[in-house]
Amino acid sequence: MTDIKILILYTAAYLTSCITGRAGLSALSSICLIGIAVFFYYTEKKRTNELINLRGLMALGILGGEGIARLQLSNLSTVWTVSTWLSFYLFYLVFYIISGITEGFTETVFKDSRLHALYNRKISDVNIFRFIILAVILISWSAFIYEAVNLKFIPLFTVDTPHAYSYFHLKGIHYFTTLAVLIPAVSVLYLEYRKKQNMKPDAVSILGIILPLLLSVLLVSRFQFMFAAILAVFAALSSGRKYRLWQSVTILVLMVAVYVVITIARAHSVEYLNGIFEMKDPKTPIFITQPYMYIANNFDNFNLMTRQLTVHSNGIRMLYPFLTLTGLKFINPDLAIAYPLFTTKEELTTVTLIYDAWYDFGIAGVVLFAAVLGLITGFILHEHKRNSNPFAKLIYSELAFYFSVSFFTTWFSNPATWFYLGFSVLFYLIY
Protein backbone atom coordinates (compact mmCIF):
# COMPACT_ATOMS: atom_id res chain seq x y z
CA MET A 1 0.00 0.00 0.00
CA THR A 2 1.38 3.41 -0.97
CA ASP A 3 1.91 6.18 1.58
CA ILE A 4 -0.88 8.21 -0.04
CA LYS A 5 -3.40 5.40 0.49
CA ILE A 6 -2.16 4.92 4.04
CA LEU A 7 -2.64 8.61 4.84
CA ILE A 8 -6.14 8.59 3.29
CA LEU A 9 -7.01 5.58 5.45
CA TYR A 10 -5.55 7.37 8.50
CA THR A 11 -7.64 10.48 7.82
CA ALA A 12 -10.82 8.42 7.35
CA ALA A 13 -10.24 6.48 10.59
CA TYR A 14 -9.48 9.65 12.52
CA LEU A 15 -12.50 11.50 11.16
CA THR A 16 -14.74 8.54 12.03
CA SER A 17 -13.32 8.43 15.54
CA CYS A 18 -13.94 12.16 15.98
CA ILE A 19 -17.54 12.00 14.72
CA THR A 20 -18.45 8.93 16.79
CA GLY A 21 -16.67 10.34 19.83
CA ARG A 22 -18.55 13.61 19.71
CA ALA A 23 -21.76 11.59 19.26
CA GLY A 24 -21.08 9.81 22.54
CA LEU A 25 -20.12 6.44 20.99
CA SER A 26 -16.96 6.04 23.05
CA ALA A 27 -16.28 2.38 22.27
CA LEU A 28 -16.49 2.87 18.50
CA SER A 29 -14.37 6.01 18.68
CA SER A 30 -11.77 4.05 20.63
CA ILE A 31 -11.73 1.12 18.19
CA CYS A 32 -11.05 3.42 15.22
CA LEU A 33 -7.94 4.95 16.81
CA ILE A 34 -6.56 1.73 18.28
CA GLY A 35 -7.16 0.01 14.95
CA ILE A 36 -5.29 2.61 12.91
CA ALA A 37 -2.44 2.61 15.47
CA VAL A 38 -2.02 -1.17 15.12
CA PHE A 39 -2.24 -0.81 11.32
CA PHE A 40 0.60 1.73 11.25
CA TYR A 41 2.72 -0.48 13.50
CA TYR A 42 2.06 -3.52 11.32
CA THR A 43 2.92 -1.72 8.06
CA GLU A 44 6.14 -0.31 9.54
CA LYS A 45 7.11 -3.71 10.95
CA LYS A 46 6.53 -5.25 7.53
CA ARG A 47 8.55 -2.50 5.84
CA THR A 48 11.52 -2.60 8.23
CA ASN A 49 11.25 -6.22 9.40
CA GLU A 50 11.85 -4.95 12.96
CA LEU A 51 9.73 -5.20 16.09
CA ILE A 52 11.29 -1.96 17.32
CA ASN A 53 10.40 0.50 14.55
CA LEU A 54 10.14 4.20 15.35
CA ARG A 55 7.16 5.31 13.29
CA GLY A 56 5.13 2.26 14.31
CA LEU A 57 5.91 2.77 18.00
CA MET A 58 4.95 6.43 17.77
CA ALA A 59 1.59 5.34 16.33
CA LEU A 60 1.01 2.91 19.19
CA GLY A 61 2.04 5.52 21.78
CA ILE A 62 0.08 8.52 20.48
CA LEU A 63 -2.79 7.06 18.43
CA GLY A 64 -3.16 3.96 20.59
CA GLY A 65 -3.06 6.12 23.72
CA GLU A 66 -5.78 8.33 22.29
CA GLY A 67 -7.85 5.25 21.57
CA ILE A 68 -7.58 4.09 25.18
CA ALA A 69 -8.46 7.59 26.40
CA ARG A 70 -11.56 7.61 24.19
CA LEU A 71 -13.05 4.77 26.28
CA GLN A 72 -13.78 7.46 28.91
CA LEU A 73 -14.01 5.07 31.86
CA SER A 74 -13.36 7.78 34.46
CA ASN A 75 -15.50 10.64 35.66
CA LEU A 76 -12.49 12.87 34.98
CA SER A 77 -12.94 12.36 31.21
CA THR A 78 -14.52 15.24 29.28
CA VAL A 79 -15.70 15.98 25.73
CA TRP A 80 -12.68 16.74 23.54
CA THR A 81 -12.37 20.10 21.84
CA VAL A 82 -11.85 20.52 18.09
CA SER A 83 -8.35 21.80 18.88
CA THR A 84 -7.53 18.58 20.73
CA TRP A 85 -8.69 16.38 17.85
CA LEU A 86 -6.91 18.49 15.23
CA SER A 87 -3.65 18.69 17.21
CA PHE A 88 -3.23 14.93 17.55
CA TYR A 89 -4.32 14.28 13.96
CA LEU A 90 -1.82 16.77 12.52
CA PHE A 91 1.00 15.72 14.82
CA TYR A 92 1.23 12.14 13.58
CA LEU A 93 0.42 13.12 10.00
CA VAL A 94 3.30 15.64 9.81
CA PHE A 95 5.68 13.37 11.76
CA TYR A 96 4.98 10.44 9.43
CA ILE A 97 5.44 12.46 6.24
CA ILE A 98 8.57 14.38 7.28
CA SER A 99 10.34 11.34 8.76
CA GLY A 100 9.71 9.40 5.55
CA ILE A 101 10.97 12.21 3.30
CA THR A 102 14.06 12.78 5.48
CA GLU A 103 14.96 9.09 5.57
CA GLY A 104 14.76 8.84 1.78
CA PHE A 105 16.66 12.10 1.21
CA THR A 106 19.45 11.09 3.62
CA GLU A 107 19.88 7.74 1.89
CA THR A 108 20.22 9.52 -1.46
CA VAL A 109 22.77 12.06 -0.17
CA PHE A 110 25.01 9.48 1.52
CA LYS A 111 24.65 6.76 -1.12
CA ASP A 112 27.95 7.35 -2.92
CA SER A 113 29.66 9.89 -0.71
CA ARG A 114 33.15 9.61 0.76
CA LEU A 115 31.67 10.24 4.18
CA HIS A 116 29.76 6.99 3.85
CA ALA A 117 33.01 5.08 3.41
CA LEU A 118 34.57 6.94 6.34
CA TYR A 119 31.65 6.13 8.65
CA ASN A 120 31.73 2.46 7.69
CA ARG A 121 35.30 1.77 8.75
CA LYS A 122 35.53 -1.14 11.21
CA ILE A 123 36.69 -0.43 14.76
CA SER A 124 37.31 -3.52 16.89
CA ASP A 125 38.71 -2.13 20.14
CA VAL A 126 36.55 -3.46 23.00
CA ASN A 127 38.29 -1.01 25.32
CA ILE A 128 35.97 1.74 24.04
CA PHE A 129 32.97 -0.15 25.42
CA ARG A 130 34.78 -0.96 28.67
CA PHE A 131 35.86 2.63 29.17
CA ILE A 132 32.35 4.01 28.65
CA ILE A 133 30.68 1.41 30.90
CA LEU A 134 33.14 1.73 33.78
CA ALA A 135 33.41 5.52 33.53
CA VAL A 136 29.65 6.09 33.72
CA ILE A 137 29.19 3.55 36.53
CA LEU A 138 31.91 5.31 38.52
CA ILE A 139 30.39 8.74 37.85
CA SER A 140 26.83 7.65 38.72
CA TRP A 141 27.66 5.79 41.92
CA SER A 142 29.95 8.60 43.08
CA ALA A 143 27.17 11.13 42.49
CA PHE A 144 24.68 8.86 44.31
CA ILE A 145 26.96 8.51 47.35
CA TYR A 146 27.57 12.27 47.37
CA GLU A 147 23.81 12.93 47.34
CA ALA A 148 23.14 10.31 50.04
CA VAL A 149 25.82 11.77 52.35
CA ASN A 150 24.60 15.34 51.91
CA LEU A 151 20.87 14.54 52.11
CA LYS A 152 21.41 12.00 54.90
CA PHE A 153 19.05 9.34 53.55
CA ILE A 154 18.62 6.68 50.87
CA PRO A 155 15.07 6.49 49.42
CA LEU A 156 14.77 2.66 49.65
CA PHE A 157 15.38 2.73 53.39
CA THR A 158 12.99 5.59 54.11
CA VAL A 159 9.88 4.07 55.69
CA ASP A 160 6.33 5.36 55.03
CA THR A 161 7.38 8.16 52.69
CA PRO A 162 5.53 7.79 49.33
CA HIS A 163 7.63 10.41 47.55
CA ALA A 164 11.09 9.83 49.04
CA TYR A 165 12.71 9.84 45.59
CA SER A 166 11.26 13.30 44.86
CA TYR A 167 13.33 14.75 47.71
CA PHE A 168 16.53 12.93 46.72
CA HIS A 169 17.89 15.61 44.40
CA LEU A 170 20.91 17.86 44.55
CA LYS A 171 20.80 20.48 41.79
CA GLY A 172 23.06 19.49 38.91
CA ILE A 173 24.40 16.36 40.63
CA HIS A 174 21.31 14.20 40.19
CA TYR A 175 21.65 14.20 36.40
CA PHE A 176 24.91 12.28 36.82
CA THR A 177 23.38 9.90 39.38
CA THR A 178 20.72 8.83 36.91
CA LEU A 179 23.07 8.74 33.90
CA ALA A 180 23.57 5.06 34.75
CA VAL A 181 20.22 4.27 33.08
CA LEU A 182 22.05 4.23 29.73
CA ILE A 183 24.60 1.62 30.74
CA PRO A 184 22.49 -1.60 30.67
CA ALA A 185 21.76 -0.80 27.01
CA VAL A 186 25.44 -0.06 26.32
CA SER A 187 26.33 -3.35 28.04
CA VAL A 188 23.87 -5.22 25.82
CA LEU A 189 25.47 -3.64 22.74
CA TYR A 190 28.85 -4.66 24.15
CA LEU A 191 27.63 -8.25 24.65
CA GLU A 192 26.33 -8.35 21.08
CA TYR A 193 29.67 -7.03 19.85
CA ARG A 194 31.58 -9.70 21.80
CA LYS A 195 29.24 -12.38 20.48
CA LYS A 196 29.98 -11.37 16.88
CA GLN A 197 33.69 -11.56 17.68
CA ASN A 198 33.20 -15.05 19.21
CA MET A 199 34.05 -13.69 22.65
CA LYS A 200 32.30 -14.72 25.87
CA PRO A 201 30.70 -12.16 28.28
CA ASP A 202 33.14 -10.55 30.70
CA ALA A 203 32.77 -9.04 34.17
CA VAL A 204 32.40 -5.49 32.81
CA SER A 205 29.36 -6.39 30.68
CA ILE A 206 27.65 -8.12 33.62
CA LEU A 207 28.37 -5.30 36.08
CA GLY A 208 27.11 -2.85 33.46
CA ILE A 209 23.67 -4.47 33.67
CA ILE A 210 23.43 -5.22 37.40
CA LEU A 211 24.84 -2.06 39.04
CA PRO A 212 22.64 0.51 37.24
CA LEU A 213 19.48 -1.51 37.93
CA LEU A 214 20.50 -1.85 41.60
CA LEU A 215 20.98 1.91 41.74
CA SER A 216 17.42 2.51 40.45
CA VAL A 217 16.06 0.25 43.21
CA LEU A 218 17.99 2.16 45.87
CA LEU A 219 16.49 5.35 44.44
CA VAL A 220 13.00 3.76 44.57
CA SER A 221 12.48 5.06 41.05
CA ARG A 222 10.11 2.97 38.97
CA PHE A 223 10.82 5.11 35.95
CA GLN A 224 14.61 4.79 36.18
CA PHE A 225 14.33 1.01 36.55
CA MET A 226 11.85 0.55 33.71
CA PHE A 227 13.71 2.97 31.45
CA ALA A 228 17.04 1.21 31.98
CA ALA A 229 15.56 -2.28 31.55
CA ILE A 230 13.40 -1.48 28.51
CA LEU A 231 16.23 0.47 26.87
CA ALA A 232 18.48 -2.60 27.24
CA VAL A 233 15.83 -4.87 25.68
CA PHE A 234 15.27 -2.39 22.83
CA ALA A 235 19.02 -2.21 22.21
CA ALA A 236 19.20 -6.01 22.02
CA LEU A 237 16.24 -6.24 19.63
CA SER A 238 17.56 -3.45 17.42
CA SER A 239 20.87 -5.37 17.20
CA GLY A 240 19.02 -8.34 15.75
CA ARG A 241 18.88 -10.49 18.88
CA LYS A 242 16.01 -12.97 19.04
CA TYR A 243 14.63 -13.91 22.45
CA ARG A 244 13.15 -17.33 23.08
CA LEU A 245 9.74 -17.50 24.75
CA TRP A 246 11.12 -18.53 28.15
CA GLN A 247 13.66 -15.69 28.02
CA SER A 248 10.97 -13.13 27.19
CA VAL A 249 8.71 -14.41 29.97
CA THR A 250 11.59 -14.37 32.48
CA ILE A 251 12.52 -10.78 31.62
CA LEU A 252 8.88 -9.67 31.88
CA VAL A 253 8.31 -11.43 35.22
CA LEU A 254 11.48 -9.96 36.72
CA MET A 255 10.60 -6.45 35.55
CA VAL A 256 7.06 -6.69 36.94
CA ALA A 257 8.34 -8.12 40.24
CA VAL A 258 10.82 -5.30 40.78
CA TYR A 259 8.21 -2.72 39.68
CA VAL A 260 5.79 -4.07 42.32
CA VAL A 261 8.49 -4.04 45.02
CA ILE A 262 9.36 -0.42 44.22
CA THR A 263 5.66 0.51 44.21
CA ILE A 264 5.21 -1.04 47.68
CA ALA A 265 8.31 0.80 48.86
CA ARG A 266 6.71 4.06 47.71
CA ALA A 267 3.77 3.35 50.06
CA HIS A 268 0.95 3.94 47.56
CA SER A 269 -2.16 2.09 48.77
CA VAL A 270 -4.99 0.82 46.55
CA GLU A 271 -7.46 3.04 48.40
CA TYR A 272 -5.26 6.08 47.78
CA LEU A 273 -5.10 5.39 44.04
CA ASN A 274 -8.81 4.54 43.65
CA GLY A 275 -9.76 7.78 45.38
CA ILE A 276 -7.77 9.77 42.84
CA PHE A 277 -8.81 7.98 39.64
CA GLU A 278 -12.61 8.38 40.08
CA MET A 279 -13.60 5.48 37.84
CA LYS A 280 -17.24 5.38 36.67
CA ASP A 281 -17.34 1.78 37.85
CA PRO A 282 -15.85 1.81 41.38
CA LYS A 283 -15.44 -1.98 41.23
CA THR A 284 -12.87 -1.79 38.42
CA PRO A 285 -9.77 -3.77 39.56
CA ILE A 286 -6.71 -1.66 40.35
CA PHE A 287 -4.55 -3.61 37.85
CA ILE A 288 -6.87 -2.26 35.12
CA THR A 289 -7.51 1.16 36.65
CA GLN A 290 -3.88 2.15 37.18
CA PRO A 291 -2.49 1.53 33.66
CA TYR A 292 -5.69 2.89 32.10
CA MET A 293 -5.54 6.17 34.01
CA TYR A 294 -1.78 6.55 33.51
CA ILE A 295 -2.56 6.63 29.78
CA ALA A 296 -6.02 8.15 29.46
CA ASN A 297 -5.81 11.06 31.86
CA ASN A 298 -2.82 12.55 30.02
CA PHE A 299 -5.03 13.22 27.01
CA ASP A 300 -7.74 14.68 29.23
CA ASN A 301 -5.12 16.99 30.75
CA PHE A 302 -4.22 18.15 27.23
CA ASN A 303 -7.91 18.68 26.44
CA LEU A 304 -8.36 20.71 29.62
CA MET A 305 -5.45 22.94 28.58
CA THR A 306 -7.05 23.67 25.20
CA ARG A 307 -10.15 24.82 27.10
CA GLN A 308 -8.52 26.93 29.80
CA LEU A 309 -5.22 28.30 28.44
CA THR A 310 -5.49 32.00 27.70
CA VAL A 311 -1.85 33.01 27.04
CA HIS A 312 0.71 30.87 25.19
CA SER A 313 4.25 30.60 26.58
CA ASN A 314 5.88 31.43 23.21
CA GLY A 315 8.63 28.80 23.33
CA ILE A 316 9.61 28.99 27.00
CA ARG A 317 8.32 25.51 27.88
CA MET A 318 9.99 23.72 24.96
CA LEU A 319 13.21 25.66 25.60
CA TYR A 320 13.24 24.67 29.28
CA PRO A 321 16.00 22.00 28.84
CA PHE A 322 18.27 24.56 27.13
CA LEU A 323 17.59 27.19 29.80
CA THR A 324 18.25 24.66 32.57
CA LEU A 325 21.34 22.88 31.23
CA THR A 326 23.02 26.17 30.26
CA GLY A 327 22.12 27.86 33.55
CA LEU A 328 20.39 30.75 31.75
CA LYS A 329 17.28 30.45 33.92
CA PHE A 330 19.42 31.18 36.99
CA ILE A 331 21.17 34.13 35.34
CA ASN A 332 17.90 35.64 34.08
CA PRO A 333 15.03 34.80 36.47
CA ASP A 334 12.51 36.22 33.97
CA LEU A 335 13.13 33.12 31.82
CA ALA A 336 12.05 30.84 34.66
CA ILE A 337 8.44 31.99 34.76
CA ALA A 338 6.28 29.26 36.28
CA TYR A 339 3.43 28.71 33.83
CA PRO A 340 0.48 26.89 35.41
CA LEU A 341 -0.03 23.20 34.66
CA PHE A 342 -3.57 22.34 33.57
CA THR A 343 -4.62 18.97 35.00
CA THR A 344 -7.93 17.30 35.80
CA LYS A 345 -6.67 16.57 39.30
CA GLU A 346 -3.77 17.90 41.35
CA GLU A 347 -2.17 14.46 41.81
CA LEU A 348 -2.39 13.48 38.10
CA THR A 349 0.34 15.65 36.64
CA THR A 350 1.50 13.56 33.67
CA VAL A 351 0.78 14.87 30.17
CA THR A 352 1.33 13.88 26.54
CA LEU A 353 4.32 14.39 24.26
CA ILE A 354 2.80 17.43 22.51
CA TYR A 355 1.48 19.23 25.62
CA ASP A 356 4.28 21.83 25.74
CA ALA A 357 4.28 22.35 21.98
CA TRP A 358 0.61 23.38 22.13
CA TYR A 359 1.24 25.37 25.32
CA ASP A 360 3.92 27.38 23.47
CA PHE A 361 2.25 28.14 20.13
CA GLY A 362 -1.03 26.24 19.85
CA ILE A 363 -1.61 24.05 16.79
CA ALA A 364 1.26 25.79 14.95
CA GLY A 365 3.62 24.66 17.72
CA VAL A 366 2.39 21.07 17.41
CA VAL A 367 3.02 21.07 13.63
CA LEU A 368 6.50 22.59 14.07
CA PHE A 369 7.41 20.08 16.78
CA ALA A 370 6.20 17.19 14.60
CA ALA A 371 8.32 18.43 11.69
CA VAL A 372 11.50 18.75 13.78
CA LEU A 373 10.95 15.35 15.39
CA GLY A 374 10.30 13.88 11.95
CA LEU A 375 13.61 15.29 10.64
CA ILE A 376 15.56 13.79 13.56
CA THR A 377 13.76 10.46 13.23
CA GLY A 378 14.41 10.22 9.50
CA PHE A 379 18.15 10.72 10.02
CA ILE A 380 18.33 8.20 12.89
CA LEU A 381 16.42 5.64 10.80
CA HIS A 382 19.08 6.02 8.10
CA GLU A 383 21.97 5.69 10.58
CA HIS A 384 20.35 2.66 12.17
CA LYS A 385 20.02 0.87 8.82
CA ARG A 386 23.66 1.56 7.90
CA ASN A 387 24.76 -0.25 11.08
CA SER A 388 28.18 1.44 11.05
CA ASN A 389 28.27 2.58 14.69
CA PRO A 390 26.73 0.55 17.57
CA PHE A 391 25.91 3.72 19.51
CA ALA A 392 23.51 4.80 16.78
CA LYS A 393 21.43 1.88 18.09
CA LEU A 394 21.56 3.38 21.59
CA ILE A 395 20.07 6.65 20.28
CA TYR A 396 17.58 4.65 18.20
CA SER A 397 16.55 2.69 21.32
CA GLU A 398 16.10 5.88 23.36
CA LEU A 399 13.81 7.37 20.72
CA ALA A 400 11.94 4.05 20.54
CA PHE A 401 11.28 4.25 24.28
CA TYR A 402 10.14 7.89 24.19
CA PHE A 403 7.87 7.18 21.22
CA SER A 404 6.39 4.04 22.82
CA VAL A 405 5.33 6.00 25.90
CA SER A 406 4.64 9.28 24.09
CA PHE A 407 1.27 9.34 25.86
CA PHE A 408 2.96 9.84 29.23
CA THR A 409 4.86 13.12 29.31
CA THR A 410 6.65 15.84 27.33
CA TRP A 411 9.88 13.88 27.00
CA PHE A 412 11.65 16.47 24.85
CA SER A 413 10.90 19.30 27.27
CA ASN A 414 12.74 17.38 30.00
CA PRO A 415 16.40 18.35 30.59
CA ALA A 416 17.21 14.74 31.57
CA THR A 417 16.12 13.53 28.11
CA TRP A 418 18.59 15.85 26.39
CA PHE A 419 21.25 15.07 29.00
CA TYR A 420 20.98 11.36 28.17
CA LEU A 421 20.80 11.99 24.42
CA GLY A 422 23.81 14.33 24.67
CA PHE A 423 25.91 11.64 26.31
CA SER A 424 24.66 9.08 23.79
CA VAL A 425 25.87 11.32 20.96
CA LEU A 426 29.19 11.68 22.83
CA PHE A 427 29.52 7.88 22.99
CA TYR A 428 28.75 7.77 19.24
CA LEU A 429 31.51 10.29 18.52
CA ILE A 430 34.02 8.52 20.80
CA TYR A 431 33.44 5.28 18.94
Side-chain angles (χ1 to χ4, degrees), residues 28 30 45 69 110 130 293 361 410 429:
L28 185 55
S30 172
K45 180 182 179 298
F110 284 100
R130 288 174 177 165
M293 285 302 293
F361 301 110
T410 53
L429 295 175

Side-chain angles (χ1 to χ4, degrees), residues 116-127:
H116 184 82
L118 176 64
Y119 290 158
N120 275 288
R121 63 185 181 180
K122 300 299 180 184
I123 300 177
S124 59
D125 192 355
V126 297
N127 289 328

Side-chain angles (χ1 to χ4, degrees), residues 54-62 91-92 95 353 373 403 406:
L54 297 186
R55 294 200 292 179
L57 291 174
M58 178 67 90
L60 291 180
I62 282 288
F91 174 74
Y92 190 78
F95 168 80
L353 188 69
L373 204 55
F403 291 177
S406 52

Side-chain angles (χ1 to χ4, degrees), residues 39-57:
F39 172 77
F40 269 116
Y41 177 80
Y42 172 76
T43 55
E44 284 298 303
K45 180 182 179 298
K46 189 176 179 180
R47 184 181 71 86
T48 62
N49 198 31
E50 292 193 62
L51 281 172
I52 307 301
N53 58 83
L54 297 186
R55 294 200 292 179
L57 291 174

Side-chain angles (χ1 to χ4, degrees), residues 100-174:
I101 292 173
T102 304
E103 183 182 4
F105 176 76
T106 310
E107 287 176 359
T108 301
V109 169
F110 284 100
K111 189 174 182 180
D112 298 311
S113 70
R114 293 180 181 179
L115 281 176
H116 184 82
L118 176 64
Y119 290 158
N120 275 288
R121 63 185 181 180
K122 300 299 180 184
I123 300 177
S124 59
D125 192 355
V126 297
N127 289 328
I128 295 175
F129 277 108
R130 288 174 177 165
F131 169 74
I132 289 173
I133 292 170
L134 292 176
V136 175
I137 286 176
L138 178 62
I139 290 170
S140 292
W141 277 87
S142 297
F144 168 73
I145 292 170
Y146 181 81
E147 286 192 294
V149 169
N150 281 272
L151 296 173
K152 297 182 174 58
F153 76 96
I154 294 175
L156 182 63
F157 306 121
T158 305
V159 182
D160 297 329
T161 306
H163 304 290
Y165 173 65
S166 300
Y167 305 117
F168 193 82
H169 286 72
L170 286 180
K171 199 170 293 183
I173 301 298
H174 197 67

Side-chain angles (χ1 to χ4, degrees), residues 298-330:
N298 305 323
F299 294 90
D300 288 315
N301 283 341
F302 181 93
N303 187 56
L304 184 69
M305 174 183 59
T306 64
R307 290 178 179 277
Q308 297 185 357
L309 183 67
T310 55
V311 179
H312 291 289
S313 48
N314 298 319
I316 296 298
R317 291 185 69 92
M318 288 294 288
L319 281 175
Y320 181 74
F322 175 76
L323 299 177
T324 299
L325 295 174
T326 59
L328 286 175
K329 74 172 187 178
F330 303 109

Side-chain angles (χ1 to χ4, degrees), residues 158-211:
T158 305
V159 182
D160 297 329
T161 306
H163 304 290
Y165 173 65
S166 300
Y167 305 117
F168 193 82
H169 286 72
L170 286 180
K171 199 170 293 183
I173 301 298
H174 197 67
Y175 288 117
F176 293 96
T177 300
T178 61
L179 185 61
V181 295
L182 298 179
I183 297 308
V186 175
S187 298
V188 165
L189 293 172
Y190 178 41
L191 285 169
E192 291 300 315
Y193 176 86
R194 293 183 68 89
K195 183 180 178 181
K196 291 175 182 177
Q197 301 295 324
N198 295 317
M199 300 167 68
K200 294 182 179 179
D202 62 357
V204 172
S205 59
I206 303 303
L207 289 174
I209 293 174
I210 294 174
L211 290 180

Side-chain angles (χ1 to χ4, degrees), residues 31-107:
I31 291 171
C32 289
L33 289 174
I34 293 175
I36 198 64
V38 172
F39 172 77
F40 269 116
Y41 177 80
Y42 172 76
T43 55
E44 284 298 303
K45 180 182 179 298
K46 189 176 179 180
R47 184 181 71 86
T48 62
N49 198 31
E50 292 193 62
L51 281 172
I52 307 301
N53 58 83
L54 297 186
R55 294 200 292 179
L57 291 174
M58 178 67 90
L60 291 180
I62 282 288
L63 303 178
E66 286 180 79
I68 290 173
R70 292 309 307 151
L71 288 171
Q72 296 188 304
L73 301 180
S74 168
N75 289 317
L76 298 175
S77 300
T78 56
V79 176
W80 283 7
T81 65
V82 172
S83 184
T84 296
W85 284 105
L86 191 58
S87 294
F88 285 105
Y89 166 73
L90 288 175
F91 174 74
Y92 190 78
L93 178 72
V94 173
F95 168 80
Y96 184 88
I97 293 172
I98 297 296
S99 60
I101 292 173
T102 304
E103 183 182 4
F105 176 76
T106 310
E107 287 176 359

